[in-house]
Amino acid sequence: MGKLKSWGIRGGVSLGKLKSWGIYIGRGVALLFAVSALSFALASASPINPETRYRLSHPGVSQENVTKMREYWGIDEPPVGRYLGWLGGLVRGEWGMSTTYRRPVLDVIGERFSASFALMATAWVLSGLTGFAMGCVMAAARDRWPDRILRRICLFLCSVPTFWIGLVLLAVFSANLGWFPFGLAVPPGVRAESVTLAQRIHHLALPALTLSCLSFANLALHVREKLVDVYQSDYVLYARARGECGAQILFGHGIRNALVPAIIMQFGSVSELFGGSVFAESVFSYPGLGSALAKAGMDASDIPLFLGIVMISAVFIFAGNLTANILTQVIDPRTKGVG
Amino acid sequence: MDGMRLDRDCTDDDGKCAAKRGYTGEDGKGGAKLVSWNRRTGAAAWAGCIFALILAIYIAGALMPDGALRADFAKKSLPPSLEHIFGTDFLGRDMFVRTVKGLSLSLLVGTVASCGAAVIALVVGVTAAMGRRWVDHVVNWIIDLFMGVPHTVLIILVSIALSRGATGMLAGIALTHWVGLARIIRGEVLQIRSAEYIAVSRGFGKSAPWIAVHHILPHMVPQFFVGLILLFPHAIMHESGLTFLGFGLGPEQPAIGIILSESMRYISGGAAYLAILPGLSLVLLVLLIDRLGHTLRYLLEPKEAQL
């Protein structure tokens, strides 16, 4: 009876649940503030600050100019004051000026976010579908040769650095076969308005493939584990006794059980995806957030942009985890009434 | 045999019993037969071989004279041949020598970084589980904080804070990789904490730190070492990645990341071997260490291990 009741309130939101979501989101916001404080502290601890860079690039600069410069960047202000100023700007939507692009940080991020998002979303969907399908194949053929071969491949891929996959793909498909361009998101020398969708996809393919290699092997191995557990369960034994064939068992019992953990895992991998995009974008000179982050960090002068991207990545990860949490409760009826 | 659950009393000498029976925790086929060569001794020998191989790679790289890396423009940009099995780079340096030296350096960096991370994990994990409730909350919150930013981004941040270079990278890797192991150790300690002998010890008036050192830490030794070795591959991959991006080791170092980022310029010219062979060596090294970690885990925790 209890089960029926919990099915009955599907979609309904109780007060207790609202409260637990409120706590969850509150924790998330507190975490974002902590991330901002941590990253600001680390960035301002760096010995490479505007002054040292200025002195390096302008040898023999007068003391007067240095003083002016210190004033301009607010170096003499106490760090806490600087942090609060920056934080206030973040909340108001004034994220400062990027020193490399000479434009507001939010503009640069907004522009690059769409490129990065296309890349990450493609890689995410690609790795999710391949990983899940591969896990199903491995579990269905468990301990036979397709399973052994695929599992070896997955274990191998788990130990491969993302950027090296990118280099190999670049060497094989761009240099040797010439099927794909060497990088960038659009062909060089073409006006932005006249770039076709096909051209964009053509440029997106290799970076997305590189990025999807990051997580699909892991996902496939987990799906396999989960499905093997299902196959050893009593209800599958019963289904077999009823005369259900392999496909019926896989689609009727296996996939339904493996889907929830797979989706949660895939949403939880957003952090790795973002980290991997730094490498994938750098290898392919793809103009997204990841390559901007690496570049801003390399110059070590474009701290406003760097910190902005750090904050965006933290928000992104929080959103991924939140979605995973919500989906768990929505998809899996068994978790109802627990939260 | 990968992925097969192994039970402790499986001592068949053909070593395949688990594979044949599939996952059966309880059936008593194995028994306490005393065989001189069982799967455990096999695994121990296997671990010894892998360890010797890894050590050999390290020593080979450390002992190779730097003279082997002298530029020789007469031999620049040669594809792989019998004389130079990995080819030569644009300065005529032998890529095989560079790769072995790079792997050796990676091992060194990996050791330092993963030891640092594992020590942090041990301290944090034990403190969280042994301390008061609020300590546990604070630690969990810090773990959430570290999970809230991508590892790569955090390592870059730490690296910048310490003005890039080897120290910054090592600190970055150590500071980001402790999280997973700390969670495992915390869980283990929480389990042991509720054991009776801990309660007895407390009844004798021993302090929490005394109990932690004398009753808890010894139990953490296997977890600690297995966790340490399993951290290694991640540390090495992050090291090469960060170096590749330019935040890690300097260009004068014979690191794999440097080799790979240099190779970027020659890939379009068809010199793919510059990227593929050194990278593949790195992957093989990572796989070796990973295998060592799993073999050790099988030896130390036969119940939960998968070989």
Side-chain angles (χ1 to χ4, degrees), chain A residues 25-40:
Chain A
I25 290 174
R27 269 179 73 103
V29 172
L31 219 53
L32 285 181
F33 278 110
V35 167
S36 74
L38 177 73
S39 45
F40 189 89

Side-chain angles (χ1 to χ4, degrees), chain B residues 14-181:
Chain B
D14 65 359
K16 287 220 164 147
C17 59
K20 276 181 197 150
R21 282 186 283 136
Y23 171 53
T24 51
E26 286 81 28
D27 85 14
K29 196 190 165 204
K33 200 165 57 169
L34 277 174
V35 201
S36 58
W37 185 262
N38 58 23
R39 296 196 67 163
R40 281 181 70 81
T41 39
W46 185 217
C49 288
I50 300 176
F51 184 72
L53 187 57
I54 293 173
L55 199 65
I57 293 173
Y58 174 70
I59 294 175
L63 289 186
M64 257 178 199
D66 282 333
L69 283 181
R70 236 195 344 261
D72 182 357
F73 288 100
K75 291 183 186 167
K76 71 174 187 183
S77 305
L78 295 175
S81 63
L82 276 181
E83 198 187 343
H84 300 285
I85 53 173
F86 279 23
T88 58
D89 66 2
F90 62 105
L91 290 176
R93 291 175 292 185
D94 184 76
M95 286 307 285
F96 182 69
V97 176
R98 285 190 81 189
T99 303
V100 174
K101 274 196 167 296
L103 294 182
S104 178
L105 190 65
S106 282
L107 281 171
L108 189 67
V109 171
T111 313
V112 177
S114 46
C115 281
V119 169
I120 298 177
L122 187 69
V123 172
V124 171
V126 173
T127 317
M130 290 300 290
R132 291 174 192 285
R133 266 186 78 88
W134 64 266
V135 179
D136 197 24
H137 279 299
V138 169
V139 167
N140 275 327
W141 196 74
I142 294 177
I143 288 179
D144 280 352
L145 175 62
F146 275 79
M147 306 278 269
V149 189
H151 275 180
T152 315
V153 174
L154 203 53
I155 301 177
I156 293 179
L157 255 173
V158 176
S159 161
I160 292 176
L162 298 172
S163 73
R164 297 208 287 268
T167 330
M169 182 190 61
L170 285 173
I173 296 174
L175 281 176
T176 46
H177 282 64
W178 55 270
V179 177
L181 185 58

